[in-house]
C-alpha cells in the first residue's frame, strides 16, 4: 500500500493507476483529499463534460460502475469514474474482481469507502492490494497532528509556531477536515511565506492565545496560581469551547508525561521530545514543572484529577458546577 504523500506525488507527475480504492473507516479526510485531487486535476474542464462521471454507491450497482469504467474516453487521454459512498456497494463488491484483474487502462476508477472496513479475506481485497492503488487511512493521534499541520502548511509555503499548532489541536481535536478548512481560511487572508503565530490564530479563528489548556498546563506547572485561576474562570464562562472532560483529559495527559519525564535518564531536549511525543518546543515546560512537582507529587496530582473526573460524573458529588470542580482541583494542585 502507498501512503497518501506518494499517491499525491504520483498524481502531480501525471502517473495514474487504473484503479484507486480508498478506505477510511474512521478518518475520511485523506480519502476525500485524493479523490478530489483526481477529480480536479486529471481532466481539463472541457474534457470533463464527456469523460468524467461522479457516481454514488446508493444509486448504482457494481455492474453499472464497471459499465462506466469500460467506456473509452472521447477526445481525451483518460476517462475518470469516481464512486462516492462506495461503502453502499460492499455486499456485492466481490463482483468487481474480474474487472480488477483486467481493468480498462484508459480509465481512472476511484472508489471512496467511508466508515467501513474491507474484509481482508475477500478475493477482491487481495486483488486490489496486489494490482491497484489500495489506500487505507488511519486516524492520526493527537500528538501527530501538529506535525501534519506543519507539513501541510509547508507544502503551501507557510510555517507555523508550535504553540499555534497546539491551539488548533486543542480547539479542533484530530478532526483533520475541520483543521484543513481553518488552515484554508488562514491562507486566504495571510500572505504566503508568513509564519502563523498564536496571535494570528486568535485574530482569524477566534481561539484565545492566553486562555487555553496549553496555558493552563503551563501555569499549573510553574505554580502560577493567579494565571491559572484566570484561565479556569474563563473556561467556566465558556463551557462550550472548554468542556470539563476535555480539560481533565489534558491535565491528566500533562501529569502522566511529567511522570515519564522524571523517569527519563536522558532529559535532553531531543530525547525528551521523542520519549514524551511532544514538540521539542514544549520540553522546557516539563523541565520547569519537574522542579515544582516531584514524582510523588505528580502521582498525587493524577489521583486528584481522577477524583474530579469521578465527581464530574456524579460520583460522591451533587450538582457541583464544572467551574467549581475545576477551581477545587486547582487549589489542591497548588498546595
Amino acid at each position: 500500500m502507498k501512503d497518501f504523500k506518494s499517491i499525491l506525488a504520483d498524481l502531480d507527475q501525471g502517473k495514474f493507476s487504473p484503479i484507486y480504492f480508498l478506505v477510511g473507516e474512521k478518518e475520511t479526510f485523506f480519502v476525500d483529499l485524493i479523490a478530489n485531487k483526481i477529480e480536479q486535476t486529471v481532466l481539463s474542464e472541457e474534457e470533463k463534460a464527456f469523460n468524467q462521471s461522479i457516481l454514488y454507491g446508493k444509486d448504482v450497482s457494481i455492474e453499472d460502475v464497471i459499465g462506466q469504467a469500460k467506456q473509452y474516453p472521447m477526445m481525451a487521454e483518460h476517462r475518470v469514474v469516481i464512486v462516492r459512498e462506495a461503502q453502499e456497494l460492499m455486499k456485492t463488491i466481490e463482483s468487481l474482481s474480474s474487472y480488477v484483474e483486467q481493468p480498462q487502462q484508459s480509465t481512472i476508477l476511484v472508489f471512496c469507502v467511508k466508515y467501513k472496513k474491507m474484509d481482508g479475506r475477500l478475493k477482491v481485497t487481495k486483488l486490489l492490494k496486489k494490482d491497484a492503488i489500495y489506500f487505507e487511512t488511519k486516524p492520526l493521534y493527537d500528538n501527530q497532528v501538529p506535525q501534519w499541520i506543519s507539513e501541510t502548511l509547508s507544502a503551501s509555503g507557510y510555517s507555523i509556531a508550535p504553540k499555534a499548532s497546539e491551539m488548533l489541536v486543542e480547539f479542533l481535536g484530530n478532526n483533520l477536515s475541520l483543521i484543513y478548512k481553518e488552515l484554508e481560511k488562514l491562507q486566504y487572508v495571510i500572505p504566503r511565506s508568513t509564519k502563523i503565530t498564536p496571535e494570528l490564530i486568535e485574530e482569524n479563528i477566534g481561539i484565545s492565545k492566553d486562555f487555553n489548556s496549553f496555558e493552563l498546563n503551563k501555569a499549573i506547572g510553574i505554580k502560577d496560581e493567579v494565571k491559572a485561576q484566570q484561565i479556569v474562570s474563563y473556561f467556566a464562562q465558556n463551557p462550550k469551547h472548554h468542556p470539563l472532560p476535555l480539560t481533565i483529559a489534558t491535565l491528566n495527559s500533562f501529569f502522566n508525561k511529567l511522570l515519564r519525564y522524571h523517569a527519563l535518564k536522558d532529559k535532553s531536549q531531543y530525547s525528551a521530545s521523542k520519549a514524551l511525543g511532544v514538540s521539542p518546543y514544549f520540553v522546557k515546560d516539563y523541565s520547569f514543572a519537574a522542579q515544582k512537582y516531584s514524582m510523588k507529587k505528580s502521582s498525587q496530582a493524577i489521583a486528584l484529577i481522577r477524583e474530579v473526573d469521578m465527581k464530574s460524573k456524579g460520583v460522591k458529588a451533587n450538582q457541583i458546577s464544572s467551574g467549581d470542580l475545576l477551581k477545587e482541583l486547582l487549589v489542591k494542585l497548588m498546595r
Side-chain angles (χ1 to χ4, degrees):
M1 290 191 296
K2 288 193 173 185
D3 63 25
F4 81 97
K5 291 180 185 177
S6 62
I7 294 173
L8 294 179
D10 284 347
L11 292 174
D12 285 334
Q13 295 171 29
K15 298 177 182 177
F16 306 127
S17 170
I19 303 174
Y20 292 83
F21 205 89
L22 314 174
V23 182
E25 182 187 5
K26 295 180 180 178
E27 174 56 66
T28 63
F29 173 78
F30 294 113
V31 170
D32 289 330
L33 183 68
I34 296 168
N36 291 343
K37 178 89 170 177
I38 292 171
E39 179 181 350
Q40 293 162 12
T41 63
V42 173
L43 300 173
S44 67
E45 289 303 318
E46 295 76 16
E47 292 171 334
K48 287 178 183 178
F50 295 104
N51 299 289
Q52 183 160 284
S53 297
I54 309 297
L55 310 176
Y56 290 85
K58 62 182 179 180
D59 299 325
V60 296
S61 66
I62 288 292
E63 289 71 24
D64 294 330
V65 174
I66 294 173
Q68 288 275 353
K70 284 186 174 180
Q71 294 180 26
Y72 288 96
M74 292 181 61
M75 296 178 291
E77 189 176 347
H78 297 285
R79 175 168 174 74
V80 174
V81 179
I82 298 176
V83 188
R84 299 192 182 277
E85 299 178 9
Q87 65 274 10
E88 301 291 339
L89 297 170
M90 288 302 101
K91 289 182 180 179
T92 56
I93 197 67
E94 276 283 41
S95 302
L96 185 65
S97 297
S98 58
Y99 182 82
V100 177
E101 290 175 318
Q102 290 185 308
Q104 177 79 305
Q105 293 299 316
S106 57
T107 295
I108 298 171
L109 175 59
V110 184
F111 284 85
C112 302
V113 177
K114 295 183 176 182
Y115 313 115
K116 213 160 186 90
K117 188 175 182 179
M118 285 292 288
D119 186 341
R121 298 168 296 180
L122 295 177
K123 176 185 176 182
V124 69
T125 306
K126 295 173 182 176
L127 285 171
L128 286 165
K129 289 182 177 181
K130 176 176 172 286
D131 299 325
I133 298 296
Y134 183 91
F135 174 76
E136 191 169 338
T137 180
K138 292 180 173 60
L140 296 181
Y141 294 111
D142 285 353
N143 63 0
Q144 295 174 311
V145 178
Q147 182 180 350
W148 175 81
I149 291 173
S150 179
E151 290 175 352
T152 300
L153 286 170
S154 178
S156 300
Y158 296 82
S159 60
I160 187 167
K163 181 181 172 182
S165 290
E166 292 290 338
M167 287 167 63
L168 286 170
V169 176
E170 181 199 344
F171 196 70
L172 301 171
N174 63 353
N175 188 320
L176 303 186
S177 296
L178 285 179
I179 294 173
Y180 192 78
K181 287 176 183 175
E182 295 299 337
L183 294 180
E184 282 188 319
K185 291 178 189 176
L186 282 172
Q187 291 173 60
Y188 283 132
V189 297
I190 297 171
R192 192 180 291 270
S193 300
T194 300
K195 182 171 187 175
I196 296 171
T197 62
E199 288 76 16
L200 288 172
I201 294 289
E202 182 174 48
E203 181 183 342
N204 293 284
I205 298 180
I207 307 171
S208 173
K209 66 181 176 60
D210 296 316
F211 299 99
N212 52 66
S213 291
F214 165 74
E215 290 296 331
L216 178 60
N217 290 346
K218 187 175 179 181
I220 290 174
I222 60 175
K223 293 202 172 181
D224 184 343
E225 188 168 357
V226 174
K227 178 67 174 178
Q229 288 286 4
Q230 289 173 341
I231 295 171
V232 165
S233 296
Y234 179 84
F235 283 8
Q237 294 166 21
N238 297 273
K240 181 179 178 181
H241 293 310
H242 299 281
L244 182 60
L246 179 60
T247 304
I248 288 173
T250 305
L251 285 170
N252 187 62
S253 175
F254 177 77
F255 278 102
N256 269 289
K257 286 187 171 99
L258 184 56
L259 267 180
R260 286 160 56 194
Y261 179 83
H262 273 296
L264 293 176
K265 292 181 179 179
D266 183 356
K267 290 183 172 63
S268 64
Q269 188 180 51
Y270 176 77
S271 295
S273 165
K274 189 174 180 181
L276 299 179
V278 301
S279 164
Y281 175 85
F282 297 110
V283 171
K284 65 180 183 297
D285 295 330
Y286 292 95
S287 176
F288 291 144
Q291 298 172 34
K292 300 290 184 178
Y293 297 87
S294 63
M295 288 191 79
K296 182 178 179 181
K297 286 280 188 183
S298 299
S299 296
Q300 290 172 343
I302 291 170
L304 291 170
I305 292 166
R306 288 177 179 169
E307 181 183 321
V308 168
D309 181 43
M310 295 301 291
K311 285 184 178 180
S312 72
K313 295 168 181 171
V315 179
K316 296 182 180 180
N318 293 315
Q319 297 182 332
I320 302 176
S321 71
S322 296
D324 287 340
L325 282 173
L326 204 49
K327 289 174 183 176
E328 177 189 326
L329 173 62
L330 196 59
V331 170
K332 291 179 178 178
L333 289 174
M334 292 292 184
R335 286 176 183 168

